């Protein structure tokens, strides 16, 4: 696994004057870094998620032991980017160093989902940048999409992202009158026991172990979620954790699901550059690694035109799970 981009970039802001403005985003020596900067690390592989990511980066000025900055990490699974935020602004006109800390085991730092370690590459694992005279102007956040099971699976306009799956031969609509015992439904209907309708998401996906990862009815027991092998006993949908949800990885395995359709654009929340810009799909090698490690069977959606699913659909599903995978079934 390699770091393919960072923001700020190494040397960014070093050629700016004292109290330089922070109205530029280019990772160049003459572009000052805002004091409210969010550190971004972009990787070429999907990461092993968990709280250990927060221990993967040390940010400091001067003495690293005395002047370390407290950071909180979050992981964007689709873009393979880890974002580090700090509570208080950084000092203005100051040289900072960001240093990736090697993890002694997979519970600390950055590792690929299959346990491959981070290796040095073209982008340095230790980089420095200089802040300008103050913070960047606040960015207006996008309007949140408040999805629930119904809107995610609905075939009514505007169609939900999973509507193409809930109407397929793989994950059909449930019977008109679902049985009172969800266990019977899971065993008997539909194939693999997974329905991607609104009712089906609540009763066959959320907190239900994916049949392709293990046998069992639920992975709510914390003991089942601490397996040394990532993917074992993985929930189809793990509320709050898209990076631990098997449904998401089945979608990530299909490159067409990253495609942009009319009216869509790549997210502007990231500064870390890549050759093809944000929205770049994983490499063929990484998709093969997912298949070989734990994402078995065909990627989803299986036998439909790629144009029926898009990156925006993928993002909506991830956002819904991250927000708790809520359901409001009447």
């Amino acid at each position: 696994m390699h770091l393919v981009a960072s923001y700020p970039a190494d040397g960014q802001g070093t050629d700016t004057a004292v109290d330089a403005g922070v109205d530029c985003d280019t990772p160049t020596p003459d572009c000052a870094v805002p004091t409210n900067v969010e550190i971004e690390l972009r990787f070429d592989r999907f990461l092993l998620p968990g709280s250990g990511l927060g221990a993967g980066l040390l940010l400091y000025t001067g003495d690293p032991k005395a002047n370390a900055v407290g950071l909180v990490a979050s992981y964007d699974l689709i873009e393979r980017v880890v974002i580090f935020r700090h509570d208080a602004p950084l000092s203005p006109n100051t040289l900072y160093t960001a240093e990736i800390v090697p993890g002694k085991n997979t519970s600390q730092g950055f590792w690929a989902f299959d346990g491959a370690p981070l290796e040095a590459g073209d982008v340095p694992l230790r980089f420095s940048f200089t802040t300008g005279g103050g913070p960047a102007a606040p960015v207006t956040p996008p309007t949140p999409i408040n999805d629930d099971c119904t809107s995610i699976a609905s075939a009514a306009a505007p169609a939900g992202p999973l509507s193409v799956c809930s109407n397929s031969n793989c994950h059909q609509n449930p019977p008109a009158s679902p049985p009172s015992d969800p266990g019977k439904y899971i065993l008997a209907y539909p194939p693999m026991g997974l329905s991607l309708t609104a009712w089906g998401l609540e009763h066959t996906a959320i907190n239900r172990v994916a049949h392709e990862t293990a046998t069992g009815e639920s992975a709510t027991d914390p003991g089942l979620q601490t397996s040394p092998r990532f993917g074992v006993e993985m929930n189809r949908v793990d509320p709050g954790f898209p990076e631990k949800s098997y449904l998401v990885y089945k979608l990530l395995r299909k490159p067409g699901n990253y495609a942009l359709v009319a009216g869509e654009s790549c997210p502007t929340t990231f500064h870390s550059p890549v050759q093809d810009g944000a929205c770049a799909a994983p490499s063929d090698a990484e998709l093969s690694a997912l298949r070989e490690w734990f994402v078995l069977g065909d990627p989803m959606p299986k036998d439909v035109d790629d144009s029926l699913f898009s990156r925006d659909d993928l993002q909506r599903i991830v956002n819904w799970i991250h927000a708790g995978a809520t359901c409001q079934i009447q």
Side-chain angles (χ1 to χ4, degrees), residues 3-254:
L3 181 68
V4 296
S6 69
Y7 180 81
D10 189 30
Q12 183 172 341
T14 54
D15 291 347
T16 56
V18 173
D19 292 329
V22 290
D23 56 353
C24 63
D25 286 328
T26 57
T28 57
D30 58 354
C31 180
V33 176
T35 56
N36 59 345
V37 64
E38 295 180 349
I39 311 296
E40 298 173 14
L41 303 177
R42 183 183 291 272
F43 298 90
D44 60 353
R45 301 202 59 195
F46 293 109
L47 299 183
L48 187 66
S51 58
L53 293 175
L57 185 70
L58 179 63
L59 179 66
Y60 59 90
T61 178
D63 184 351
K65 293 184 178 179
N67 300 314
V69 177
L71 298 171
V72 176
S74 60
Y75 173 41
D76 187 286
L77 174 62
I78 299 176
E79 290 292 330
R80 303 171 300 284
V81 171
V82 181
I83 307 100
F84 289 88
R85 299 176 175 89
H86 40 91
D87 292 334
L90 302 181
S91 299
N93 310 308
T94 302
L95 176 67
Y96 281 88
T97 298
E99 184 175 348
I100 290 181
V101 181
K104 296 181 180 180
N105 53 59
T106 54
S107 65
Q108 298 177 331
F110 308 113
W111 302 78
F113 68 90
D114 55 5
L118 179 64
E119 299 178 339
D122 295 336
V123 178
L125 301 183
R126 183 179 183 272
F127 54 95
S128 299
F129 61 89
T130 301
T131 55
V139 177
T140 302
T143 302
I145 300 174
N146 298 315
D147 279 310
D148 60 13
C149 288
T150 300
S151 61
I152 286 289
S154 175
L162 287 180
S163 60
V164 66
C165 305
S166 61
N167 291 320
S168 71
N169 291 328
C170 299
H171 307 287
Q172 306 103 316
N173 291 318
S177 299
S180 58
D181 182 357
K184 294 180 180 178
Y185 176 88
I186 291 169
L187 293 175
Y189 190 95
M192 299 302 291
L194 175 62
S195 169
L196 293 178
T197 61
W199 189 92
L201 284 171
E202 183 175 26
H203 292 283
T204 72
I206 296 175
N207 287 326
R208 297 286 179 176
V209 172
H211 288 185
E212 292 175 336
T213 67
T215 58
E217 292 304 320
S218 176
T220 56
D221 180 352
L224 295 177
Q225 298 179 323
T226 57
S227 168
R229 191 183 197 281
F230 182 67
V232 172
E233 297 285 356
M234 181 179 281
N235 283 336
R236 288 163 171 159
V237 171
D238 194 339
F241 301 98
E243 68 275 17
K244 297 179 182 179
S245 297
Y246 190 71
L247 172 64
V248 175
Y249 286 98
K250 290 285 280 190
L251 295 169
L252 291 172
R253 259 202 61 204
K254 189 168 186 177

